[in-house]
Amino acid sequence: MKRHPNDLAIFGSPPAFSDKLFVGRPSLGDRARFLERLNDILDRRWLTNDGIYVREFEKQVAGIVGVRHCVAMCSGTTALQIAIRALDLTGEVIIPSFTFVADAHVLEWQRIRPVFCDIDPTTCNLDPQKVEEAITERTNAILAVHLWGRPCDTERLAEIAERRGVHLLFDASHAFGCTHNGRAIGGFGELEVFSFHATKMINTFEGGAVTTNDDDLAETMRSMRNFGFAGFDNVVRLGTNGKMNEVSAAMGITGLESLNHLVEHNRQNDRCYRDGLQGIPGIEVVSRGSTGQSNCQYIVIRVDPENGLPRDRLVEILCAENIIARRYFYPGCHRMEPYRTLYPEFEGKLPNSDWLAQRVVTLPTGEAVDSEQIKVISSVIRCAMTHGAEIEDQLSASS
Ligand code: T4K
């Protein structure tokens, strides 16, 4: 195990891992079961358009989440787009900037103005007080994100949304299998949106879904994802192609069979990281949240640059060791195009988002990562942070 800066790969030592360890490595579930289902799909020659696997996947997701409807889609982004169309959102929608850029894109794509709101640096989610302050007569909705599976303050946001007469929906892309105050994520607000992208807790290669208890909304979204059809030859509204295909749904069902095992594996990894990273100067493992069970799909550390190494240097060192860590979610949507050009007014207005975006690193976990590997990752981080000044000196001397 790496103990000294001279053993680090950036100084010419062999990397800690011969193969790259990626954040977001997909969990696959039982391969044989998936292949069986794949053969069945081919035998049936029913590949997409509301097939039996999609229906089964929707039924199982709705059951786990505890809602009346799950409407499966071809991606989380499409699910968000269809959801905001079904709610008929217009004007302005409040969202965090500290999230994946899809949240801003789906609004701008519909010509809705994203209003970036700051987060609470402890919860890393929208700060309800700041949401309240951001509401104007143009505000139509709040789109909150359960970032890294940490539940939003759903109660305060619901109270604000109701009192101020705006819609409330959640992006639960990271939160499948998480609970909040005894309830599964997926049943809060008017609707919640999941991503089942390859990198997510449950994956359908590409995929997503909206979960809701609203019968009319569900029916509207089912029709919208299928070109606005309501039966043969009968188009009743504007629609698109947002359908999930059968192979994706079969992958999702296979993943759901292993959900408990996958979550338990992630929790074990989470415990290993917390042990391994304990007491390292300048490193704090972001908490899982205290209101429920986490799927532990994201292991996020905060790197304090005043106490060790700058965050980006640590990412560089990890990368040289074949540990492909990610800066989720740097630099924040308001600092990306087209938003920084369209809406320069958010510059300097989101101090907590900017602060966190400069400090976070997401580390590899999931089925493809085990405890022994985590011990090695932790020891590389310990070495790098403990010898931060030495490393910087050596690198500047050699450049
Ligand atoms: N809302 C939120 C809060 C989200 O985080 C996302 C997506 C969405 C909405 C939209 O949902 P989708 O429309 O995607 O269903 C990745 C994912 O593509 C994206 O789904 C995800 N969030 C985001 C957080 O991560 P990138 O640009 O970082 O992807 P990329 O290609 O760099 O891959 C990520 C990591 O996963 C790498 O370390 C490599 C690894 N990987 C990836 C794939 C696809 C694998 O090891 N195997 C694979 O097959 O966006």
Side-chain angles (χ1 to χ4, degrees), residues 21-26 74-80 98-103 106 145-148 171-174 193-200 205-208 298 324-326 328-329:
L21 281 187
F22 288 100
V23 165
R25 207 71 168 153
C74 58
S75 73
T77 304
T78 305
L80 279 163
F98 189 68
T99 179
F100 190 60
V101 73
D103 289 307
V106 293
V145 183
H146 304 295
L147 200 83
W148 306 319
D171 178 346
S173 289
H174 302 171
V193 175
F194 289 103
S195 165
F196 297 118
H197 179 260
T199 55
K200 297 298 186 286
F205 301 100
E206 292 276 0
Y298 289 85
I324 314 302
R326 296 296 295 262
Y328 289 147
F329 289 96

Side-chain angles (χ1 to χ4, degrees), residues 323-377:
I323 304 160
I324 314 302
R326 296 296 295 262
R327 299 179 298 179
Y328 289 147
F329 289 96
Y330 173 82
C333 300
H334 71 296
R335 295 187 178 280
M336 294 174 164
E337 292 296 358
Y339 309 104
R340 83 177 155 207
T341 301
L342 286 175
Y343 311 117
E345 60 273 26
F346 293 105
E347 168 68 42
K349 296 283 165 39
L350 306 169
N352 295 335
S353 306
D354 287 338
W355 183 84
L356 202 57
Q358 293 292 340
R359 285 166 173 74
V360 281
V361 179
T362 304
L363 298 172
T365 186
E367 202 187 32
V369 180
D370 64 31
S371 312
E372 289 309 308
Q373 292 168 320
I374 291 171
K375 281 185 194 154
V376 176
I377 297 170

Side-chain angles (χ1 to χ4, degrees), residues 14 17 69 116 132 135 156 165 180 184 201 263 270 298 303 327:
F17 297 99
H69 305 282
F116 297 115
E132 172 108 56
I135 294 177
R156 278 189 71 197
H180 173 56
M201 187 68 230
V263 170
D270 181 90
Y298 289 85
V303 184
R327 299 179 298 179

